[in-house]
Amino acid sequence: MIAPGFTGGTLDRADRLRHDAEALAAAQSDWRARLLVLDAFDPVLDGEGRLSWTSLADAPDGAELVLLGLGERERPHFAALVPGARVPPGRSLRLFAMLGAMAPGEAATYAAARSLLDWHGRHGFCANCGQPTAMFRAGWARRCDGCGTEHFPRVDPVVIMLAEHQGRCLLGRQPAWPKGRYSALAGFLEVGESIEEAVARELFEEAGVRVSGVRYIASQPWPFPSSLMIACVGAAEDDAITLDTQELEDAFWATRDEVRAALAGDPGARFLAPPPYAIAHTLLTAWAEAG
């Protein structure tokens, strides 16, 4: 099975440096240290699909440095947190095109940087008392100046799943997607809920399909802004579909041959498959190969 997109990063996240002020200062003064080049929070790629880096001397005025990790020979890698900068909502077609062009592992580093910078931009004030917060732990936390509460980057779990029934899997589409694209159904895991329960609930809410025997396939960070996609498959009781039109425009049961054709990019395929960097592509591949 192909590794899910946004995984396979090569940087050592160097948690040991986050607690060591002297070691962090040494990393920031290391002449070899590299700064991630971003264009309005989008990556800047070289001709081989790799992220672009520059010297820390090129950091914008007033920027704080977020330690992304250590590369070969302990070389520090940073991203710049510019005060007041906010990651724009949504994802541009330009960004998606670059994600498809990235070399293996590069998207993982970008995902961590984008999620961290977005989180900092939205957590300048304490949720406990409303006072300003300040970055600490090398950019992997914020501390309130008023009550001392420590805040850490959050991850929002999302289940993404296939219901299967008699050799077919359930696919759906949202109106905003490109024409012909179908994918696995998905939804946020709610408080007080297991992964298996979330899978069953979401499939029933969106398509009226009841499943059991839910099994885990793979996971993927999704930095828009900070989700963890958890891919699963469940066995459906029957193939009747009752569509929630607030969530989905259409849904149908696809055979393995139809899924394989879509994944292969066959122009005669019944549907357009999700892009390779999406966990849905990994999930469909795993399901098709299992047959």
Side-chain angles (χ1 to χ4, degrees):
M1 184 173 67
I2 300 174
F6 298 108
T7 65
T10 58
L11 292 182
D12 170 5
R13 295 199 175 202
D15 178 75
R16 61 193 177 277
L17 299 187
R18 301 175 191 175
H19 306 272
D20 189 332
E22 291 185 4
L24 181 59
Q28 292 176 341
S29 61
D30 189 332
W31 65 272
R32 305 171 305 149
R34 308 177 79 191
L35 181 70
L36 180 64
V37 178
L38 296 173
D39 177 12
F41 295 100
D42 285 350
V44 176
L45 305 182
D46 64 16
E48 298 180 348
R50 299 190 178 279
L51 296 170
S52 297
W53 301 85
T54 187
S55 164
L56 296 189
D58 293 327
D61 292 340
E64 296 180 277
L65 296 176
V66 175
L67 178 66
L68 299 177
L70 303 176
E72 292 183 4
R73 299 181 182 179
E74 303 288 289
R75 189 176 193 178
H77 289 64
F78 293 88
L81 173 62
V82 180
R86 297 289 298 274
V87 177
R91 296 150 285 176
S92 65
L93 294 177
R94 171 175 172 267
L95 173 58
F96 279 146
M98 286 188 287
L99 291 176
M102 280 189 179
E106 294 292 278
T109 298
Y110 171 68
R114 183 181 175 106
S115 289
L116 277 171
L117 295 176
D118 179 88
W119 177 77
H120 280 292
R122 292 184 290 110
H123 289 79
F125 295 89
C126 178
N128 186 52
C129 72
Q131 295 297 308
T133 59
M135 189 178 81
F136 81 114
R137 291 192 76 243
W140 290 83
R142 299 187 71 86
R143 182 185 290 119
C144 176
D145 295 339
C147 65
T149 298
E150 296 180 354
H151 303 272
F152 297 86
R154 64 177 295 167
V155 175
D156 300 317
V158 176
V159 290
I160 181 167
M161 55 275 165
L162 294 175
E164 60 179 356
H165 185 263
Q166 297 181 350
R168 298 173 299 160
C169 71
L170 180 67
L171 300 177
R173 65 168 277 107
Q174 297 178 3
W177 290 356
K179 183 180 180 180
R181 171 154 295 162
Y182 283 77
S183 185
L185 276 59
F188 285 98
L189 192 148
E190 296 183 349
V191 295
E193 189 174 48
S194 70
I195 292 172
E196 294 83 356
E197 289 168 337
V199 166
R201 174 183 55 77
E202 285 288 343
L203 283 169
F204 182 70
E205 289 177 353
E206 295 188 4
V209 173
R210 294 192 182 277
V211 298
S212 60
V214 174
R215 63 187 188 274
Y216 168 83
I217 302 298
S219 66
Q220 172 195 58
W222 185 253
F224 306 110
S226 57
S227 295
L228 175 66
M229 310 296 292
I230 305 167
C232 299
V233 176
E237 294 180 358
D238 57 53
D239 61 359
I241 297 174
T242 303
L243 206 64
D244 177 0
T245 55
Q246 297 296 317
E247 295 286 342
L248 298 175
E249 181 181 69
D250 187 32
F252 73 94
W253 293 93
T255 66
R256 280 189 165 86
D257 284 343
E258 289 173 332
V259 170
R260 291 170 184 143
L263 292 171
D266 185 338
R270 183 177 180 182
F271 67 97
L272 178 66
Y277 55 78
I279 189 71
H281 190 282
T282 305
L283 178 57
L284 284 168
T285 300
W287 182 79
E289 290 177 350

